[in-house]
């Protein structure tokens, strides 16, 4: 049994874990591993927002973003998602992961990237665009997988996979897997603030984040699942999951959830794939933990997962959770509706 925290990220612990050293988890789970050369990653969520009549233009814009990843210093892994938000807008999000922040900076500063984003054309296309980018340090994120091959998300830019780990299957295990939690409560510092533009007026808007904004990506992949497991997912797992994600999307603000999107993976033409995940931004890890531990919408998700997880063969479940420093966050919006992402909760 291994610790989820890799050896080179361990330090003298001043804050205790939620379990005793003799704790035995109820089933095997694994985490991504990276050597000491990985000190920080970049997670870039690049969105195109549209009304249905603009779908063809939105697909073209999404494809342009995907093609830009082929330029020098592009991401080591990416995927594409689609969802309809609670304002009725369609959203494609192209998600890229870099294991080298310097490479990301070189990529985004290329004229082909910078000039496209800055061009006046973006203001007059009838589309919305957003960039939500965080760059957690190695000690600021964790992963958890119920499988061992072809890791999605940030796991794809890490080096390896752990053996069975101890810190899972109990409340508080996410925090215990984040190396920084050994001596940091990971509390938020400050508020979301609009520092340029006016969300109500459209155009270009920039939101300033704060320390320890928490991002969770929690996924399900049924591409290889047989009919029995697909039925299990659609009839038992998906209904409480969908209800919980819709609740956070529509009513999560008082709980500290800034934004929640339950998305479906798509190919570069916008066709749906048999993969889905949640993208949730929270004010703090503490706020996410409170919802997870006590709210009925999550308790139904959690108890369903525990009931079925030991029998899963091809249905792939995972998540990644990160906190980040305000100086490594970017939240920019062009002609997005005022309920998009961080715009809803940012102070004017």
């Amino acid at each position: 049994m291994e610790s989820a925290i890799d050896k080179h990220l361990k330090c003298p612990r001043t804050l205790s874990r939620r379990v005793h050293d003799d704790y035995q988890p109820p089933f095997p789970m694994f985490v991504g591993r990276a050597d000491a050369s990985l000190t920080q990653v970049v997670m870039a969520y690049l969105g195109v927002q549209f009304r249905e009549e603009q779908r063809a233009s939105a697909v073209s814009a999404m494809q342009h973003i995907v093609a830009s990843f082929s330029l020098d210093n592009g991401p080591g892994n990416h995927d594409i998602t689609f969802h309809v938000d609670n304002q009725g807008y369609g959203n494609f999000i192209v998600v890229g992961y870099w294991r080298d922040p310097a490479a990301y900076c070189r990529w985004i500063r290329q004229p082909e990237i910078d000039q496209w984003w800055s061009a006046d054309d973006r203001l007059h296309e009838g589309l919305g665009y957003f960039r939500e980018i965080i760059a957690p340090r190695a000690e600021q994120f964790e992963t958890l997988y119920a499988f061992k091959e072809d890791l999605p998300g940030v796991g794809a830019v890490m080096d390896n996979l752990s053996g069975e780990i101890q810190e899972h299957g109990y409340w508080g295990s996410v925090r215990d897997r984040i190396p920084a939690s050994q001596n940091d409560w990971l509390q938020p510092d400050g508020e979301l603030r609009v520092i340029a533009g006016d969300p109500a007026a459209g155009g270009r808007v920039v939101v300033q984040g704060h320390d320890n904004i928490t991002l969770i990506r929690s996924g399900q992949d049924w591409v290889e699942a047989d009919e029995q497991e697909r039925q299990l997912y659609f009839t038992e797992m998906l209904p409480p999951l969908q209800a919980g994600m819709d609740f956070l999307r529509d009513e999560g603000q008082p709980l500290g959830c800034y934004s929640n999107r339950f998305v479906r993976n798509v190919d570069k033409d916008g066709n749906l794939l048999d993969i889905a995940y949640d993208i949730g931004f929270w004010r703090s890890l503490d706020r996410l933990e409170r919802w997870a531990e006590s709210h009925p919408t999550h308790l139904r998700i959690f108890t369903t997962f525990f009931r079925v997880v030991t029998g899963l063969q091809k249905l792939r479940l995972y998540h990644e959770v990160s906190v980040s420093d305000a100086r490594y966050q970017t939240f920019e919006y062009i002609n997005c509706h005022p309920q998009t992402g961080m715009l809803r909760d940012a102070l004017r």
Side-chain angles (χ1 to χ4, degrees), residues 54-291:
Q54 289 286 96
R55 186 180 182 89
S57 297
V59 169
S60 294
M62 174 265 283
Q63 291 172 341
H64 176 87
I65 295 171
V66 173
S68 74
F69 283 173
S70 299
L71 297 173
D72 291 345
N73 298 293
N77 182 44
H78 78 272
D79 58 71
I80 314 164
T81 73
F82 171 77
H83 73 284
V84 177
D85 63 34
N86 63 358
Q87 304 300 303
Y89 285 80
N91 295 261
F92 290 117
I93 306 179
V94 184
V95 188
Y97 290 84
W98 285 258
R99 63 174 286 141
D100 178 5
Y104 163 76
C105 289
R106 292 192 294 271
W107 175 79
I108 203 167
R109 290 171 182 167
Q110 292 176 93
E112 298 95 325
I113 308 296
D114 182 60
Q115 292 176 12
W116 181 85
W117 178 260
S118 302
D120 286 345
D121 290 348
R122 303 292 81 73
L123 297 170
H124 307 296
E125 293 174 322
L127 299 174
Y129 294 95
F130 57 87
R131 288 176 169 177
E132 297 174 347
I133 301 163
I134 64 168
R137 292 175 275 114
E139 62 269 26
Q140 290 179 308
F141 72 92
E142 61 84 47
T143 59
L144 189 67
Y145 305 99
F147 51 91
K148 301 196 287 186
E149 301 86 23
D150 300 321
L151 302 186
V154 73
V157 299
M158 301 178 77
D159 301 301
N160 216 321
L161 189 74
S162 72
E164 294 185 26
I165 57 109
Q166 183 184 40
E167 299 94 335
H168 74 90
Y170 60 90
W171 300 125
S173 60
V174 167
R175 184 181 293 270
D176 286 351
R177 291 190 297 272
I178 297 175
S181 72
Q182 294 169 103
N183 51 30
D184 188 339
W185 283 112
L186 308 176
Q187 288 294 94
D189 179 15
E191 305 286 342
L192 295 179
R193 293 188 179 276
V194 174
I195 59 173
D198 178 359
R204 296 180 182 271
V205 181
V206 179
V207 174
Q208 178 179 286
H210 58 76
D211 288 344
N212 290 317
I213 286 176
T214 300
L215 170 63
I216 180 169
R217 168 175 168 162
S218 181
Q220 313 89 45
D221 175 341
W222 61 97
V223 172
E224 301 293 336
D226 61 23
E227 188 58 34
Q228 182 177 356
E229 284 197 339
R230 292 172 74 91
Q231 282 293 109
L232 179 68
Y233 176 68
F234 283 105
T235 62
E236 295 195 43
M237 299 184 69
L238 184 58
L241 177 61
Q242 185 76 62
M245 298 303 95
D246 289 351
F247 171 82
L248 289 177
R249 180 195 65 192
D250 299 336
E251 302 179 57
Q253 185 177 20
L255 303 180
C257 182
Y258 287 149
S259 170
N260 200 74
R261 303 171 174 120
F262 190 39
V263 303
R264 183 85 171 259
N265 283 61
V266 296
D267 63 21
K268 63 182 178 62
D269 295 317
N271 300 308
L272 295 175
L273 304 176
D274 288 345
I275 308 169
Y277 60 89
D278 176 60
I279 306 165
F281 282 97
W282 289 74
R283 173 163 174 77
S284 67
L285 181 60
D286 180 62
R287 294 292 193 95
L288 172 59
E289 288 174 318
R290 287 189 216 173
W291 172 73

Side-chain angles (χ1 to χ4, degrees), residues 3-53:
S3 171
I5 300 176
D6 211 351
K7 294 182 177 64
H8 69 280
L9 293 172
K10 281 190 170 291
C11 65
R13 181 178 279 278
T14 60
L15 300 175
S16 61
R17 298 193 307 170
R18 292 284 290 269
V19 292
H20 190 272
D21 289 346
D22 292 337
Y23 169 76
Q24 293 291 318
F27 44 81
M29 296 288 276
F30 311 89
V31 301
R33 292 285 195 223
D35 63 28
S37 67
L38 187 148
T39 60
Q40 191 174 15
V41 298
V42 176
M43 305 172 176
Y45 290 75
L46 311 177
V48 181
Q49 187 176 92
F50 61 97
R51 289 292 194 183
E52 184 58 33
E53 59 267 23

